[in-house]
Structure formats: structure tokens, C-alpha cells
Amino acid sequence: MASEQDVRAQLQRAGQDHLLRFWGDLAPESRAALLAELASLEPDALREHCQRASAACAQVPGPLPDLEARLQPLPPELVGSAIRCDLETRLRWEEEGFRQIALNKVAVLLLAGGQGTRLGVTYPKGMYQVGLPSQKTLYQLQAERIRRVEQLAGQRLGTHCTVPWYIMTSEFTLGPTIEFFKEHDFFHLDPDNVVLFEQRMLPAVTFEGKAILERKDKVAMAPDGNGGLYSALADHQILQDMKQRGVEFVHVYCVDNILVRLADPAFIGFCVLRGADCGAKVVEKAYPEEPVGVVCQVDGVPQVVEYSEISPETAGLRGADGSLLYNAGNICNHFFTRDFLDMVTREFEPLLKLHVAVKKVPYVDEEGNLVKPLRPNGIKMEKFVFDVFQFAKNFAAFEVSREEEFSPLKNADTASRDNPSTSRRALLTQHYRWALQAGAHFLDEHGVQLPEQSGLLPNGDPPAICEISPLVSYSGEGLEKYLQGQKLQSPFLLDEDRARLLQPHEC
């Protein structure tokens, strides 16, 4: 272990020797823990990190002055659409995707390193229940979608197949996630096929460029953003593990989208048939000012440009058909070949830009008292997973329906959007549509058949409450044999047990 003298010299070299200002107050075990943490921070890298954070934060936010002339929408030849394609094309994509899954060439990778601070919880977002009739968490919904897509692919090609689930966590989420999976028996997935690994952490920094102490014996650290994926892949030999399993294609997604289709066969098939090394699902922006990044080109290179970097005038530009010119909203749902990820980790990861996130960071004041600030007081530096698009040799974007595939959980119910209520309603409304399409009818509490309608009620709920287990249907398929002609009492839950009671019939 490094000595106090060595660590103090390193911190002085980095301009951060204030981190030892409570040394005299600490017990031996606290001193040892602090020394171990500080010794891992290379002094030159620490100095550069703190200086870059302070300088980046001091820059005036807003549209980049030289961006407008360099910006272009994605060319049509780079974009496919699950909404606008014909049935034959979609079936061809799905068939190829299922084939790759059945050949054990597809893995999914979950980005789950962030805390649920904005959601108002202290545990990982994946453990959150949005209030479904089944009381399933996000983790359970995702695990069951993996099981179902494995089943569908295996049935098509008459084989047993596996979609490995890689989960990137952080110092904050690793322990609780492991315990949660163990408590729930890994949701009946083989634990050997669920691989959890941890991303790096970076010190939080004051606006003046000083690393923050969250306790007398602990530096305030934060995950290095979802773009920390690439260094984490190298740190934990994840790509080697994928290679040993025969994985060639990786579907990467964020934990908080309740509608996410893991290992989506249509997306996988589209990208594989296009020969894409890197792909992104996109949804049409709802309105010009919607706070989502835009997938577009900058200097002819694919990139995600944040909404805050585009002027309102450019965001509002429309094409000849009246749609927004920059309308490809990024939903953090990506396709990568394993070879592309290997190239990024070996060659391009150091080139990724660090982005500023101004946050409320608890800290100890000069007297050693814990302070929980009411306003943002610190800087967390993050990398973004999509900043590798620029390195792709064959990039492709895949447009999907927002109603079918995107409803993020970001905020507590006190917020007006992206909260537990909007997430729950998105899933239940989708399942209500699926049930109607399968030929079901819904009854009210008096047994009177409800009129079929696609819109929401004034309170935002679907006309009837219907939840369909992912183990029964992945994307609405196969429901006719259970639901056609059935009269269902709301709320209705179609899980595996209920499906067995509803004797399947020929349609």
C-alpha cells in the first residue's frame, strides 16, 4: 500500500492535496481506505481531469456557433424503417435476425450504471416497479423478453439457442443488482449467461476544478457515463468472452425503456443484411423542441447532436413533405458488430469526448459536516455510448414506432413526462392494442362490452387494463390462439398460467 507521504506528494503534484485535509480526524481503517482510493488516481490524469471539467463547465451553453453549416440529415440510403417498409421486407429482416439468434451469434448488453436519483429511489432503476398488475420490475420484463426471443428463434430453426445478457453496472449498482438477480433466481435464465461487469468511476469536481470529498475519508465518484462501456469492455475482457461464445452481433440498450425489444430480430436482421458495423434505432421527434438527441451527419459523418446544440431555427426546419428535417430522435438503442467494438476499444476509445453534467453532489464542508446541496454544485464528466458512430465504416439507422418501442423512465411522478405513470400506460396501451388486434373484446365492471377505441381515456389510461407477459408474446405475435373471440374483464393479465387455461384454438 502507498504511504501517506507518497499519496500526499501525488496530490500536491495534481493540485488536489485538499483531499487529505481531514487526515488527522481519521481512524486507522478510514485512513487505509482513503489512501487506497487516492493511490489509484494517477496524478497527471487527475490534474487534467479536474482542469478539463472546470474549463468545459465554464463554456457558455447553447447552440454551437459553427455547427449549422456542417449539419445534414441522414441520407435516405442509410435509413430503414419498420414503420414504412412493406410486409415482405419486414419478414425478411425478422427471418435473418431469428437465424442469427438461433445460431447463437447475438448478445444483448444492458447499460445499467446510473442511479435512480431523478426517479427518487436509491436502488438501480432495473429493480423499479411502475405499477403493472403483475408487479414486474424492468429487470424481469427484460429477462422474460430474452427468454421469449430465444424460444421463438429456437422454434423456427428447430434448435436450442442462447442470447447472453451482459449488464454494465457501476460501483453504485453492481452489488444491489447481483443480489436482486440472485433473489429472483436470475428470472429463470442460466446464471452463466448473465454476465455483470463494472464501469470506471471518475471524481466529481467543483466549478473551481477541485475534486470533491463526500466524506472525510471518501472522494465523491461518479460513473463515467454510458460511453464508459468501451473501457469497461477492455477492463473485464468482455469481448473475449463474447468471442468464446461465438457472439458476432451485440444489441446495446439503456435500462429505463419499458418497451425495449431485446435482441429485436427485425433490427438485428436489418443491420446484418445491410452489412452494418454500427446501427441505431430512432423514433420520429414528437416536436422540434423535444429534448432528445438527433441522429444526423456532421461533416458527412454520422453523429448524435444534442438538442441543446441545435438552434431553435434549425430544429424547426421541415422538408418538402412537411416533416421535421432533423427528426431522427436517438433512443440509446444500438447495434454493433463484435469486430467494431473490438476496434473501438483498441483504437478509438481515448478519442471519445467527455461531456459535462452539472449535478447536486453531497460534500463535506471545511468543518467536516455533510452538506446536501439544494442547487447543482459539482461537475460529473461522462462519455456517451453513441459518440462512436463517427468511427463506423457502414452506419445504418432503423426507424421504429415510438408507441411500440420507446417510453423512457427518467423522473418521479411529480414530473409531467417520462415518469412511472407514462411508462406504465405506454406498456398497458400497447398490450390493449395487441389484444384488440388478436380479436379480443373487453367488458366493463357490469359485464357490458366496451367500445373499441385506440385513444386514451381523459385520465391517460387505456380504455381497458390489459397486461400480456413477455413469456406469452414478444411483440404481439401468437395471441389470436388465446384471445380471438374472448370477452375479457378489465383488468386482465395474460401470463403463462392464464394462457394454459385459455385453451389454444385454431385461428
Side-chain angles (χ1 to χ4, degrees):
M1 180 186 292
S3 68
E4 175 202 349
Q5 185 176 2
D6 290 339
V7 170
R8 197 175 288 277
Q10 289 181 359
L11 292 177
Q12 287 174 342
R13 180 175 159 191
Q16 303 293 325
D17 50 322
H18 66 286
L19 295 175
L20 284 175
R21 68 183 186 272
F22 296 110
W23 182 258
D25 299 345
L26 301 180
E29 60 271 17
S30 295
R31 288 184 173 186
L34 181 59
L35 281 183
E37 181 176 54
L38 294 174
S40 68
L41 302 174
E42 200 280 322
D44 290 340
L46 177 61
R47 181 181 65 250
E48 182 182 0
H49 168 73
C50 293
Q51 290 175 347
R52 286 174 67 182
S54 179
C57 186
Q59 293 179 356
V60 178
L64 300 178
D66 62 338
L67 184 65
E68 308 290 312
R70 302 160 54 205
L71 202 63
Q72 290 179 313
L74 287 175
E77 61 268 21
L78 297 188
V79 184
S81 176
I83 305 169
R84 307 177 210 281
C85 68
D86 57 65
L87 180 60
E88 181 182 353
T89 300
R90 183 180 180 89
L91 290 176
R92 182 160 48 87
W93 292 337
E94 289 182 351
E95 193 63 36
E96 179 63 19
F98 278 124
R99 189 176 76 85
Q100 298 296 342
I101 293 168
L103 292 172
N104 297 304
K105 292 186 177 182
V106 176
V108 292
L109 196 155
L110 166 59
L111 304 172
Q115 296 171 281
T117 309
R118 284 164 59 190
L119 187 55
V121 298
T122 58
Y123 50 83
K125 274 188 188 179
M127 295 163 54
Y128 194 84
Q129 296 182 21
V130 299
L132 297 172
S134 66
Q135 295 300 304
K136 289 178 181 177
T137 61
L138 296 180
Y139 279 148
Q140 183 170 354
L141 292 170
Q142 292 168 22
E144 291 181 354
R145 286 176 189 146
I146 292 175
R147 290 171 58 193
R148 177 63 177 170
V149 82
E150 289 174 340
Q151 180 188 46
L152 291 171
Q155 287 173 349
R156 287 193 177 216
L157 277 85
T159 184
H160 174 78
C161 59
T162 297
V163 176
W165 195 7
Y166 295 90
I167 303 176
M168 186 179 77
T169 63
S170 68
E171 175 184 301
F172 303 125
T173 62
L174 178 60
T177 299
I178 290 174
E179 287 305 309
F180 191 73
F181 272 69
K182 287 179 177 177
E183 288 171 11
H184 293 84
D185 193 26
F186 286 79
F187 305 104
H188 303 290
L189 291 167
D190 184 341
D192 289 340
N193 296 325
V194 181
V195 181
L196 288 93
F197 61 103
E198 193 172 345
Q199 67 184 109
R200 296 179 185 177
M201 306 287 283
L202 294 172
V205 181
T206 67
F207 301 138
E208 294 75 35
K210 297 295 184 181
I212 296 173
L213 279 176
E214 68 177 37
R215 297 195 312 257
K216 291 181 179 182
D217 62 348
K218 179 80 173 67
V219 179
M221 305 289 281
D224 56 353
N226 56 29
L229 168 67
Y230 307 107
S231 55
L233 290 174
D235 291 345
H236 302 282
Q237 294 81 51
I238 298 301
L239 295 177
Q240 292 91 319
D241 184 87
M242 290 180 179
K243 186 175 183 179
Q244 289 172 359
R245 295 172 186 265
V247 169
E248 295 184 16
F249 310 111
V250 186
H251 182 199
V252 176
Y253 70 99
C254 277
V255 68
D256 56 15
N257 178 11
I258 197 169
L259 300 181
V260 65
R261 295 183 179 180
L262 290 83
D264 177 13
F267 184 37
I268 300 296
F270 164 77
C271 290
V272 170
L273 291 173
R274 282 286 184 103
D277 54 357
C278 172
K281 278 193 179 184
V282 297
V283 297
E284 185 174 356
K285 286 187 66 175
Y287 50 94
E289 303 82 17
E290 184 180 12
V292 295
V294 174
V295 184
C296 56
Q297 287 188 332
V298 179
D299 298 327
V301 176
Q303 193 169 316
V304 175
V305 177
E306 287 301 293
Y307 63 93
S308 58
E309 297 174 335
I310 302 177
S311 70
E313 293 76 20
T314 299
L317 291 175
R318 295 187 180 272
D321 63 353
S323 65
L324 292 173
L325 199 59
Y326 296 99
N327 69 348
N330 176 50
I331 61 173
C332 199
N333 193 313
H334 308 311
F335 166 95
F336 301 115
T337 64
R338 192 193 74 240
D339 287 344
F340 176 76
L341 291 174
D342 185 59
M343 179 182 67
V344 169
T345 59
R346 285 186 292 103
E347 300 179 32
F348 297 122
E349 194 282 332
L351 304 180
L352 294 181
K353 175 184 174 183
L354 280 164
H355 301 263
V356 172
V358 179
K359 303 283 188 178
K360 291 182 283 189
V361 182
Y363 66 97
V364 288
D365 62 17
E366 291 304 316
E367 286 72 45
N369 302 309
L370 176 64
V371 178
K372 294 186 177 180
L374 300 177
R375 300 177 185 173
N377 65 309
I379 307 161
K380 296 181 180 180
M381 299 295 282
E382 303 173 330
K383 293 181 178 180
F384 292 163
V385 67
F386 49 72
D387 278 344
V388 300
F389 290 179
Q390 60 186 307
F391 308 123
K393 295 175 182 175
N394 191 4
F395 177 81
F398 190 62
E399 182 191 25
V400 297
S401 162
R402 180 189 295 259
E403 289 72 22
E404 289 292 333
E405 298 206 33
F406 184 55
S407 181
L409 177 61
K410 303 286 187 187
N411 308 307
D413 260 327
T414 49
S416 60
R417 60 194 301 273
D418 299 343
N419 59 45
S421 293
T422 58
S423 292
R424 179 180 65 254
R425 287 165 179 162
L427 187 71
L428 294 177
T429 302
Q430 178 189 66
H431 291 184
Y432 170 75
R433 287 195 303 269
W434 289 357
L436 291 183
Q437 290 163 7
H441 307 284
F442 285 92
L443 308 177
D444 65 16
E445 64 272 19
H446 306 295
V448 177
Q449 185 169 319
L450 293 167
E452 295 181 7
Q453 51 183 306
S454 57
L456 299 176
L457 298 178
N459 66 359
D461 286 333
I465 302 300
C466 172
E467 182 185 353
I468 298 170
S469 168
L471 297 172
V472 176
S473 185
Y474 174 84
S475 59
E477 81 290 334
L479 292 174
E480 292 85 358
K481 63 183 179 181
Y482 302 113
L483 299 182
Q484 190 174 69
Q486 295 282 355
K487 295 184 177 180
L488 310 176
Q489 189 81 48
S490 174
F492 176 78
L493 172 61
L494 180 60
D495 56 16
E496 282 189 299
D497 293 335
R498 191 71 170 269
R500 281 190 285 268
L501 291 175
L502 290 170
Q503 292 296 323
H505 53 275
E506 294 297 328
C507 301

